[in-house]
Amino acid sequence: MKKSFLFLSLIFISLLFYNCETEEVDSTQDDPIETNKVNNENAISKKKIAFELINLFENEEFKSKVVNTLTEDHTPGVKLSKFLKESNHLATHKSFISLKKITTEADKQLKSKTTPDQIEIPELWLQKPNTKSINLEELLISFAPEGDEKSWSKIEAYTLKGQKVYLDSKTIPNVPVLVIETKGYETLKAEVDYMNKELQSSGLQNNRFQSANLDLNPSSRSNSGLETTKLDRIKLNNDEEPWISGAAEIYAITSGIKNQNNEAEVKIIPMYYLDHQGTTYYPNQILLFWDDYQYQAANIQFFEKDDNYNFKQLVTILVDGIFQIVGAVSGQSWTTILGQVAGAILQAMPDEWFINNDDYVDSLYTIQKNVYYTNHKGARGNATVTLSPLFISSN
């Protein structure tokens, strides 16, 4: 064991310019990062995708197209299926066929009438080096480890020759890294859609979000004649999370009292643009629709998607938690119940989200109708927002 450690240490020193350790690897052998899944036995193998991409990248045209697209695209991730669809000239390549099978199965899950226990959509994003130009010969392919990101000390990656390297989890590498994600931007959209439908069926949400293509832009004709509160500006503190995690998948849970019976109204709103903490964003996004509520106050709470937690379980405990707590205080005033609903949402979330973890971001309690909030800090002091009322007139 000591000799192996010394050997790896020497390799690390010799490849210091890569900021990583390197070794030959057999792509078919079991790997602790791949086998140590958290309730995820049928998960897509990101390691398999990595080696299939290495094989396909022998085609210089395909490699350049992927890297150039990811360099220019400003979305958090691009679906792997998009690159395959645009590269039919590789359709007979063994690795192309393998990747096509993976993405096709993922699409089938989404179209299935039965909601899968987990949603995974393969996508790619590029961690660019600080240098102005990208050297494709230095390109590495990587993916986030399983488990709690706070425990990550090194990140597994591969060179285009199939060598395994280890990158520091806290230090952004000085070479380009193509990152494989299966629970990122695209997955969040699908999960939020499912969770809102479950909230509707449980009676905790009206049907405003019935359409998956709901336009939340203030200029939308479908939103005319509404009194709303929009998010003008938001910044989340930098929590120094590992760079391999990429763009944060942030969503908001809004809650209020919807009728004279003091029943709760809850919505989940994805915030796709909120990629990185420590950055100020100006989304102009509507978060509160005041005709959803009986009273002129509501809560807004922010969370980051937890890849290790089943979204079906999450929405179930969310619904159960709200009904249990709201039912216990149903005879009290609406102002008391409003606070209890927000408290129920937090209490329903997994305990580990509040222990050295960033899945719970912040809460904005009792946001009032027709009130401007400038540089308003959340209860945790993690989120700083500017909110403004917006009335959208009828045509």
Side-chain angles (χ1 to χ4, degrees):
M1 179 65 72
K2 291 182 178 179
K3 290 181 179 180
S4 298
F5 177 78
L6 178 59
F7 176 68
L8 290 175
S9 299
L10 290 172
I11 293 176
F12 173 77
I13 293 172
S14 66
L15 293 175
L16 187 60
F17 71 94
Y18 248 163
N19 193 28
C20 57
E21 305 165 11
T22 308
E23 62 180 272
E24 294 290 344
V25 64
D26 178 2
S27 65
T28 62
Q29 70 184 12
D30 289 336
D31 189 280
I33 293 180
E34 283 297 302
T35 56
N36 187 28
K37 299 290 185 182
V38 182
N39 298 322
N40 221 10
E41 295 179 357
N42 298 317
I44 293 173
S45 172
K46 288 177 278 190
K47 182 177 179 180
K48 177 177 176 59
I49 292 177
F51 275 88
E52 301 295 9
L53 284 173
I54 287 172
N55 291 334
L56 278 183
F57 279 174
E58 293 176 358
N59 183 290
E60 291 293 330
E61 179 184 351
F62 180 72
K63 179 173 65 176
S64 297
K65 178 178 180 57
V66 170
V67 173
N68 290 339
T69 299
L70 296 177
T71 301
E72 298 168 2
D73 200 300
H74 297 294
T75 58
V78 177
K79 293 175 71 172
L80 175 58
S81 60
K82 177 180 183 294
F83 292 115
L84 299 179
K85 185 177 181 180
E86 297 172 352
S87 305
N88 284 329
H89 61 288
L90 296 173
T92 59
H93 194 291
K94 183 178 179 181
S95 290
F96 182 96
I97 295 172
S98 177
L99 291 175
K100 187 71 173 179
K101 182 179 179 181
I102 292 173
T103 57
T104 300
E105 286 298 317
D107 288 340
K108 283 182 180 179
Q109 280 194 327
L110 288 180
K111 296 175 183 178
S112 173
K113 293 181 180 180
T114 303
T115 304
D117 290 333
Q118 63 179 357
I119 295 176
E120 291 189 288
I121 303 175
E123 58 185 83
L124 307 175
W125 63 273
L126 185 68
Q127 175 60 59
K128 291 173 281 191
N130 292 328
T131 56
K132 292 183 179 180
S133 61
I134 294 178
N135 185 347
L136 292 182
E137 298 305 313
E138 294 182 332
L139 182 68
L140 300 177
I141 299 180
S142 186
F143 43 85
E146 299 295 328
D148 183 3
E149 65 185 29
K150 297 299 182 182
S151 66
W152 301 346
S153 60
K154 58 184 180 180
I155 304 298
E156 180 179 324
Y158 297 91
T159 70
L160 294 184
K161 294 182 179 180
Q163 291 179 307
K164 181 189 291 186
V165 300
Y166 287 112
L167 304 172
D168 185 272
S169 65
K170 301 297 183 184
T171 305
I172 296 177
N174 57 359
V175 295
V177 182
L178 179 71
V179 182
I180 300 163
E181 178 64 81
T182 58
K183 294 183 179 179
Y185 171 71
E186 295 291 339
T187 301
L188 175 63
K189 291 195 291 186
E191 290 180 345
V192 165
D193 183 54
Y194 169 83
M195 293 174 75
N196 277 318
K197 288 177 180 177
E198 287 299 300
L199 289 171
Q200 289 171 25
S201 64
S202 67
L204 284 174
Q205 184 184 121
N206 62 37
N207 64 356
R208 184 185 300 282
F209 282 6
Q210 196 74 48
S211 170
N213 299 316
L214 175 67
D215 185 0
L216 299 183
N217 190 299
S219 62
S220 170
R221 292 173 61 88
S222 63
N223 287 336
S224 62
L226 294 176
E227 290 183 293
T228 71
T229 289
K230 65 183 177 72
L231 178 65
D232 299 316
R233 171 176 171 170
I234 183 168
K235 179 179 179 181
L236 305 180
N237 291 340
N238 190 346
D239 64 0
E240 299 182 356
E241 67 177 6
W243 60 268
I244 193 69
S245 297
E249 287 95 30
I250 302 292
Y251 60 93
I253 299 182
T254 61
S255 59
I257 306 302
K258 65 180 175 183
N259 54 36
Q260 293 180 340
N261 295 327
N262 288 346
E263 295 176 340
E265 171 72 21
V266 180
K267 284 184 174 61
I268 300 177
I269 302 176
M271 308 175 78
Y272 304 128
Y273 54 86
L274 223 171
D275 299 340
H276 300 286
Q277 298 181 349
T279 302
T280 301
Y281 295 89
Y282 305 85
N284 204 38
Q285 181 184 22
I286 295 175
L287 292 183
L288 299 174
F289 300 85
W290 289 108
D291 63 348
D292 288 344
Y293 309 115
Q294 176 73 21
Y295 305 100
Q296 297 186 8
N299 308 303
I300 305 170
Q301 293 168 287
F302 302 110
F303 296 87
E304 181 175 3
K305 185 170 76 73
D306 183 357
D307 288 345
N308 298 306
Y309 214 85
N310 186 300
F311 71 99
K312 291 175 71 174
Q313 292 176 317
L314 180 59
V315 73
T316 298
I317 62 176
L318 181 62
V319 169
D320 291 344
I322 292 173
F323 275 126
Q324 288 177 13
I325 291 181
V326 173
V329 297
S330 59
Q332 300 185 32
S333 67
W334 75 269
T335 52
T336 299
I337 296 178
L338 178 65
Q340 291 289 346
V341 169
I345 291 171
L346 293 184
Q347 290 184 44
M349 298 304 183
D351 290 341
E352 60 266 28
W353 286 18
F354 304 92
I355 303 173
N356 193 31
N357 202 301
D358 303 300
D359 296 311
Y360 166 50
V361 178
D362 214 335
S363 294
L364 308 175
Y365 296 114
T366 321
I367 298 300
Q368 294 179 275
K369 180 179 177 181
N370 296 326
V371 174
Y372 289 86
Y373 295 87
T374 303
N375 294 328
H376 181 73
K377 292 189 178 296
R380 290 186 76 190
N382 192 24
T384 302
V385 304
T386 294
L387 301 164
S388 65
L390 174 67
F391 178 74
I392 306 171
S393 302
S394 300
N395 288 330

